[in-house]
Amino acid sequence: MPEQPLTLDAALSDEAVLSTYRRMFAALARDSGAVVDDPVLVDIAETLFAAFAEAGEEWLTHEQMRLACGAYPADQFDNRLRVLKGLGAIREVFPKPNQLRYRASFTSVVGLMFIRRMMDDGGQSEMHRLLALEDLNVADPRTTMEEARQSAVNLSRAFRLWALELITLTTGTIEELREQAPKLWGTEEIARRAQSLHGTILTRWPELDRVCTDLRAAIYAYSDASRRAAGRLADSAGTTRNLTLLPTETWRTFAQTASKERLAAVLDGFVFDAPAPWHDPAAVARAVDEAPRPAPAQPTPPRSTLPDPGPSGSLGDAPDAAVEHLRELAESLLGESSRVALADVLGSDWITARRVLSDLTTVDLRPELPYRLAWSGGLTIDPSREPSWLSHGHLER
């Protein structure tokens, strides 16, 4: 087989397979390295079991097993065959010397099928099967109270551990929650089955009320944790309806089996942009030609390279020329009085009036000049004049 480059998705998929195997056999492992660290070794085992199933009563020799696994390297095949023989998954047909034919163990094949189901839905299907079998057992007249007690205790432990794992997913990263999303499928059905089993045990053996109370609390804890995890999973999808939260097969099956109404309900709440109107190309070209064009920006005139001494000569060269100019302005406005209203001295020409106001403000700020501006809170509005509103202020000596 040509070597295929290992991609990130393939590496994550392989790690998911190995993590499931590690958790499954952690209780039986001698040490942390007892489980395979290469998914190819699992594929070799499944290939061997498929070859044994096709061989039937003829069974397989060592050469036939190697031929069935010809796509895998010889060293990996020899290692896997040695382990399978040592653990009893592959054994001689008859326990006698020089035995050439081998058979596969039914237990090992069923174990692989069980693990594959665990990988597909996180144990949901196994929990459904377990609850169905336990329900039949406790309803059997031959079942004793001690067997029912043990069944309730085991289920309580399983539901509590399951609830703790879901709580961890709820408070962990959203990526891990999405990866473990299959554990949230069918939780209501599982809780309903468990409550039915609890009711059967309590009805037949009222003496087990304390054990049934523990089982009921564990079921409620599992239901609450699954509801919280599912809520966070739905919130993480947001308005985008993230389709990656479920496997592709689930959406394909839904699209093939759902009615038109259910298919349309998937897009409830979505707002799509209306289709763009169609325009005649000639009308578009005419609109472009007739559209007003902005005037080009006027370039800034070039500045002279000669030094600019600034304004001079307007108020004289003496340093007190500006102060004297302000004094003359204030005296011309006051005349013989010591107080005059600004509304009386400002003319109708706003250009001149604002210049006068600017000078009077400067007069008020000059501590060496004996004048000040006094303002009151009143305001006079006259739309017929300019400016149309005037504050009540006075120039005082």
Side-chain angles (χ1 to χ4, degrees):
M1 293 178 60
E3 287 292 335
Q4 298 293 334
L6 182 63
T7 62
L8 180 59
D9 291 338
L12 292 176
S13 177
D14 293 347
E15 180 58 30
V17 173
L18 294 177
S19 63
T20 302
Y21 275 81
R22 293 189 188 102
R23 289 193 297 268
M24 286 293 302
F25 295 104
L28 303 178
R30 182 182 58 199
D31 53 58
S32 59
V35 183
V36 296
D37 56 0
D38 189 352
V40 174
L41 301 180
V42 182
D43 297 337
I44 293 176
E46 290 192 334
T47 304
L48 280 174
F49 291 146
F52 275 108
E54 294 177 0
E57 296 182 3
E58 297 296 329
W59 300 293
L60 294 177
T61 63
H62 185 280
E63 289 74 15
Q64 289 172 326
M65 287 188 289
R66 180 68 189 103
L67 181 62
C69 299
Y72 303 101
D75 56 342
Q76 289 186 343
F77 168 77
D78 293 337
N79 174 272
R80 184 84 318 224
L81 184 59
R82 182 174 62 256
V83 173
L84 294 175
K85 286 182 179 180
L87 295 178
I90 294 178
R91 295 178 290 178
E92 297 88 351
V93 176
F94 301 105
K96 63 179 182 179
N98 302 321
Q99 177 61 242
L100 298 179
R101 294 190 175 273
Y102 297 88
R103 60 186 176 91
S105 170
F106 170 75
T107 305
S108 300
V109 176
V110 174
L112 268 180
M113 295 170 59
F114 168 74
I115 294 172
R116 286 299 184 186
R117 288 199 303 268
M118 291 288 293
M119 293 173 56
D120 291 337
D121 56 12
Q124 296 285 79
S125 60
E126 301 307 321
M127 199 64 183
H128 281 289
R129 290 180 175 87
L130 176 61
L131 290 173
L133 290 176
E134 292 293 342
D135 203 5
L136 293 175
N137 290 336
V138 298
D140 193 339
R142 294 170 295 180
T143 303
T144 63
M145 185 175 66
E146 188 58 32
E147 291 175 344
R149 179 196 302 275
Q150 190 61 40
S151 176
V153 169
N154 291 337
L155 287 176
S156 298
R157 184 183 301 116
F159 275 113
R160 288 193 180 279
L161 291 176
W162 204 349
L164 291 175
E165 185 171 357
L166 292 179
I167 291 174
T168 305
L169 291 176
T170 305
T171 58
T173 62
I174 192 62
E175 290 76 12
E176 183 179 6
L177 180 58
R178 290 175 179 174
E179 182 182 348
Q180 302 294 332
K183 293 183 179 179
L184 303 176
W185 300 345
T187 54
E188 294 183 359
E189 178 65 18
I190 291 178
R192 186 190 64 79
R193 283 178 174 270
Q195 290 174 358
S196 175
L197 177 63
H198 160 270
T200 303
I201 296 176
L202 191 59
T203 301
R204 288 195 60 185
W205 297 280
E207 300 85 352
L208 300 179
D209 56 342
R210 184 177 296 276
V211 177
C212 289
T213 300
D214 294 339
L215 176 58
R216 185 167 58 252
I219 295 172
Y220 288 158
Y222 163 74
S223 299
D224 293 342
S226 61
R227 194 176 300 111
R228 288 169 54 190
R232 188 188 178 202
L233 195 62
D235 293 341
S236 69
T239 57
T240 60
R241 306 286 176 89
N242 191 344
L243 302 184
T244 62
L245 297 181
L246 293 178
T248 306
E249 293 76 9
T250 302
W251 288 104
R252 185 182 298 114
T253 303
F254 172 75
Q256 293 173 350
T257 59
S259 61
K260 292 185 295 184
E261 291 75 13
R262 291 196 66 193
L263 287 173
V266 175
L267 299 178
D268 283 348
F270 278 81
V271 178
F272 296 94
D273 294 337
W278 186 85
H279 298 284
D280 183 26
V284 175
R286 184 168 58 254
V288 172
D289 292 337
E290 296 175 356
R293 288 172 172 77
Q298 294 293 334
T300 304
R303 292 184 177 273
S304 174
T305 58
L306 299 176
D308 186 7
S312 62
S314 59
L315 296 177
D317 297 333
D320 56 348
V323 176
E324 190 63 29
H325 168 73
L326 295 175
R327 188 190 303 273
E328 293 175 359
L329 174 64
E331 289 296 336
S332 65
L333 296 177
L334 287 171
E336 298 297 332
S337 63
S338 61
R339 176 184 174 94
V340 62
L342 294 181
D344 298 335
V345 300
L346 296 180
S348 60
D349 182 12
W350 172 241
I351 302 298
T352 305
R354 67 183 183 183
R355 180 62 187 172
V356 173
L357 281 176
S358 175
D359 289 341
L360 292 180
T361 303
T362 307
V363 168
D364 181 62
L365 296 176
R366 287 280 188 170
E368 64 270 23
L369 295 176
Y371 313 102
R372 70 175 180 181
L373 288 177
W375 299 97
S376 62
L379 185 68
T380 301
I381 300 177
D382 186 1
S384 62
R385 64 176 293 174
E386 185 181 3
S388 59
W389 57 270
L390 289 174
S391 299
H392 294 175
H394 294 81
L395 174 63
E396 300 175 349
R397 179 182 286 109

